[in-house]
Amino acid sequence: MSIGKHDRAPVLIAGGGPVGMTLALELAHHGVRSILVERNASTTRHPKMDLTNGRSMELYRRLGLAAKLREVGVPRGNPFDIVWATSGTGHLLHRFAYPSAVEWERRAAQRNDGSFTREAPMRVSQIVLEPVLKAAIDAHPLVDVRFGWSFESLEQDADGVTAVLRRSGSDERTTVRSSWLAGCDGGGSAVRTQLGIALNGQHAVGYVYMVHFRSKARDLLARFGIAWHLQTGAGTLVAQDDGDTWTLHVPMPPTFNPDTDKAGLSPGELLRTFAGTDVPHEVLVANLWTPHLVLAERYRLGRVFLAGDSAHQFIPTGGYGMNTGVGDAVDLGWKLAASINGWAGPALLDSYEQERRPIAQQNMDAAGRNFAVRVQIAEAFFAAMADGPLEEPGESGEQRRDRLAKRIAELGNAENESWGIEHGYRYADSPVIASESAPAPAFDPLRCVPSTAPGSRLPHVFLGEDRALYDELGDGLSLLVLGDHDVGRFVGAAEKMRLPLSVVHLKPGPHLDVLEHPLILVRPDHHVAWRGAVVPDSVERVLGVAAGRH
């Protein structure tokens, strides 16, 4: 079969979920064309996630999408509170209170110590997030969008990849030729299957029944005020828009057998049990789903890469799944673009797996720890209920609830407080990061320790009112220069090596003490590639390491 001009592109992206669309936009941001195929005819109608964390939002800010995404998210003034109660209409046990996006931004500006992200996190359903990304790729001339087409097979050689696509629901097929292929096609990835790459870890951690519904009965479903999650011993209710759209997740007991017990599940009955009373509602989607804790044994085979759920799948305790995928997309995107645009060496693309797979392992472990806490809280509920009804009036019931509440508070909520996991991570052993003999700060899953140690995410600080350090960075490599340093040799070397380098001159001040060094080389994804006190003797080597040429 001959391949026409319109069926050729530097990158073919299989999968049009958030990760695939983000990758397409990242490539386009760097001037690289792609073809994106998605087997479904439209964006998802299933509520797969409800948090875009601060790190993902500052990455979307680079792409000019943060404001558009916030337009469809939960109002910026609404908090991220997590509430535990005996039932939806029962007694409040404990509230983990978290600031709204507005308050997050206020605190970030007030402290200005590098521990916050440039953008606040955002509560948003994937159902409404995806159309924003879809509109962006549809409008971009460098993205050839083909929804309703599924990836079927691939063959690769030394020069590229030939993929066969099939129009969904028909026998019509076409062939696409690309230099590189990215498998962003979800947990059941056909690309991963074609490559024969295994998923290692714990499959089918349990079974959960989801009821996605519409209801205006806020007096029953939001009795304890605005809360992102309302949690009881019977499940978790997610307020998708703080209006009339909700998602209830009910974990099944360990003895649950999907083959024999699934037929007996009733969405209305599960909702009534959770709320403690009948709730007027309209079911939008209801199904059984299975969480996993699995990680692909490798992220690359030749000219084909995996990203997002095709490479890792986590229990959604912490919301790390899609957010880890967004990090994958940006890391892979700028590196593919650098290779296609001619300034990267082979080590740069090799570093994608070396950087992102350890982060996925780190995040998967955190999700597992968070799930273990959920199990302990469930056990506390069972123990309390064994003593008597949780809703029992009088002193006995009050004491029972008080003991349960104290246990919940004691176990804590690292699930929604792991800032180290979300934006304090570091690419510790990357071949395209200039290593140092001095040890970097110890990684803390719960706390973002701001640092410019190579591999770290550059700390976010404001330089003045409404002007942030991140906003000064270029699209390629950026050299931060604090004070009076002659960086002409850096500029000259970059020109000779044909590297995109922006020089950002900064006036030293207390707010920039967090940068630790006067010279810092920053990558397009905000991570530090090198830092120094003086211009090194071999600037070519520093730049070469960052570009994957050494």
Side-chain angles (χ1 to χ4, degrees):
M1 180 183 293
S2 63
I3 302 174
K5 182 178 180 181
H6 72 286
D7 283 325
R8 295 178 182 269
V11 182
L12 171 63
I13 301 170
V19 175
M21 289 191 282
T22 301
L23 175 57
L25 291 168
E26 179 68 22
L27 290 167
H29 181 68
H30 296 286
V32 172
R33 293 185 303 109
S34 66
I35 295 173
L36 180 145
V37 298
E38 165 56 44
R39 63 184 178 87
N40 293 306
S42 64
T43 55
T44 188
R45 293 182 174 87
H46 287 75
K48 301 175 183 179
M49 72 91 198
D50 49 79
L51 171 72
T52 305
N53 69 25
R55 176 57 179 152
S56 294
M57 286 302 293
E58 65 187 11
L59 291 174
Y60 281 133
R61 182 184 179 89
R62 295 168 57 256
L63 301 176
L65 288 172
K68 293 179 181 178
L69 289 171
R70 291 203 186 277
E71 289 177 3
V72 301
V74 170
R76 295 173 66 252
N78 291 12
F80 285 64
D81 291 5
I82 307 296
V83 169
W84 283 95
T86 57
S87 71
T89 54
H91 296 268
L92 174 66
L93 294 170
H94 189 77
R95 179 185 295 270
F96 292 99
Y98 300 108
S100 66
V102 170
E103 177 61 15
W104 173 284
E105 293 167 356
R106 188 194 68 79
R107 294 182 188 182
Q110 183 180 52
R111 290 176 55 177
N112 207 27
D113 63 355
S115 63
F116 284 77
T117 46
R118 174 66 180 92
E119 288 279 339
M122 180 177 66
R123 292 173 51 198
V124 61
S125 170
Q126 188 168 333
I127 292 174
V128 296
L129 176 140
E130 284 195 12
V132 176
L133 299 179
K134 177 66 160 49
I137 60 173
D138 284 342
H140 207 295
L142 292 178
V143 186
D144 181 346
V145 183
R146 304 186 188 183
F147 270 51
W149 286 86
S150 59
F151 164 85
E152 193 165 83
S153 64
L154 69 89
E155 291 183 359
Q156 57 177 314
D157 52 49
D159 299 318
V161 183
T162 301
V164 176
L165 311 177
R166 181 175 60 84
R167 186 184 292 276
S168 300
S170 78
D171 292 328
E172 180 183 354
R173 288 174 171 80
T174 189
T175 302
V176 167
R177 180 70 176 174
S178 61
S179 298
W180 309 94
L181 188 152
C184 307
D185 50 341
S189 173
V191 173
R192 188 188 65 242
T193 300
Q194 282 274 312
L195 297 177
I197 295 176
L199 289 176
N200 299 321
Q202 187 177 359
H203 294 265
V205 176
Y207 295 96
V208 181
Y209 198 86
M210 178 193 76
V211 184
H212 185 56
F213 65 99
R214 185 175 291 117
S215 175
K216 296 184 180 298
R218 292 188 54 80
D219 57 327
L220 302 176
L221 300 171
R223 176 181 173 184
F224 307 106
I226 293 176
W228 175 22
H229 292 171
L230 170 58
Q231 301 174 157
T232 75
T236 296
L237 181 69
V238 181
Q240 294 287 2
D241 58 3
D242 284 347
D244 64 357
T245 308
W246 318 78
T247 306
L248 175 64
H249 295 282
V250 180
M252 298 293 101
T255 57
F256 181 80
N257 184 329
D259 295 327
T260 58
D261 301 337
K262 180 180 177 180
L265 295 173
S266 165
E269 181 62 23
L270 291 171
L271 178 55
R272 190 195 69 79
T273 299
F274 175 86
T277 187
D278 290 324
V279 177
H281 67 280
E282 173 195 358
V283 174
L284 303 175
V285 180
N287 60 265
L288 192 70
W289 62 278
T290 308
H292 308 283
L293 284 169
V294 292
L295 179 62
E297 60 184 357
R298 59 191 304 181
Y299 276 27
R300 177 186 182 183
L301 186 59
R303 290 180 167 269
V304 184
F305 299 85
L306 301 178
D309 283 357
S310 67
H312 47 74
Q313 295 163 53
F314 312 145
I315 301 171
T317 42
Y320 309 139
M322 189 208 80
N323 289 293
T324 305
V326 170
D328 295 342
V330 171
D331 189 284
L332 178 59
W334 79 262
K335 290 173 180 177
L336 279 171
S339 298
I340 292 163
N341 290 333
W343 61 269
L348 193 64
L349 281 177
D350 288 341
S351 73
Y352 167 65
E353 177 178 323
Q354 293 165 292
E355 291 184 352
R356 293 304 302 172
R357 192 174 183 279
I359 298 303
Q361 180 71 63
Q362 186 170 279
N363 294 358
M364 185 172 74
D365 292 345
R369 291 193 300 271
N370 296 338
F371 178 71
V373 171
R374 289 280 189 131
V375 171
Q376 289 178 285
I377 292 177
E379 291 171 346
F381 265 93
F382 295 145
M385 290 186 290
D387 289 340
L390 288 179
E391 310 293 357
E392 181 181 352
E395 184 177 354
S396 178
E398 186 175 341
Q399 290 177 347
R400 192 176 302 122
R401 292 188 292 272
D402 186 57
R403 287 193 297 269
L404 176 56
K406 287 180 179 178
R407 179 59 175 156
I408 292 171
E410 177 185 272
L411 288 168
N413 192 46
E415 180 174 329
N416 301 110
E417 299 174 2
S418 295
W419 309 128
I421 291 291
E422 294 192 16
H423 59 272
Y425 57 87
R426 178 182 302 113
Y427 298 137
D429 299 310
S430 171
V432 296
I433 297 292
S435 60
E436 295 181 340
S437 57
F443 173 72
D444 184 345
L446 292 175
R447 192 167 66 94
C448 175
V449 181
S451 173
T452 56
S456 301
R457 169 186 152 274
L458 180 72
H460 151 61
V461 290
F462 285 104
L463 304 177
E465 187 174 355
D466 295 328
R467 179 172 169 250
L469 177 59
Y470 274 28
D471 299 333
E472 304 297 310
L473 302 177
D475 291 334
L477 300 173
S478 297
L479 181 64
L480 308 186
V481 183
L482 281 76
D484 187 16
H485 292 268
D486 183 357
V487 294
R489 287 196 290 122
F490 262 112
V491 174
E495 291 177 351
K496 184 176 180 181
M497 298 169 72
R498 297 186 178 180
L499 301 180
L501 178 69
S502 301
V503 178
V504 180
H505 291 278
L506 302 168
K507 183 178 180 180
H511 61 295
L512 291 180
D513 289 347
V514 70
L515 299 183
E516 303 171 311
H517 283 60
L519 299 171
I520 302 172
L521 185 65
V522 184
R523 311 185 324 180
D525 59 355
H526 304 149
H527 283 267
V528 175
W530 169 88
R531 65 178 181 175
V534 297
V535 175
D537 292 335
S538 179
V539 294
E540 292 84 2
R541 177 165 181 78
V542 169
L543 293 171
V545 167
R549 298 188 189 180
H550 287 282

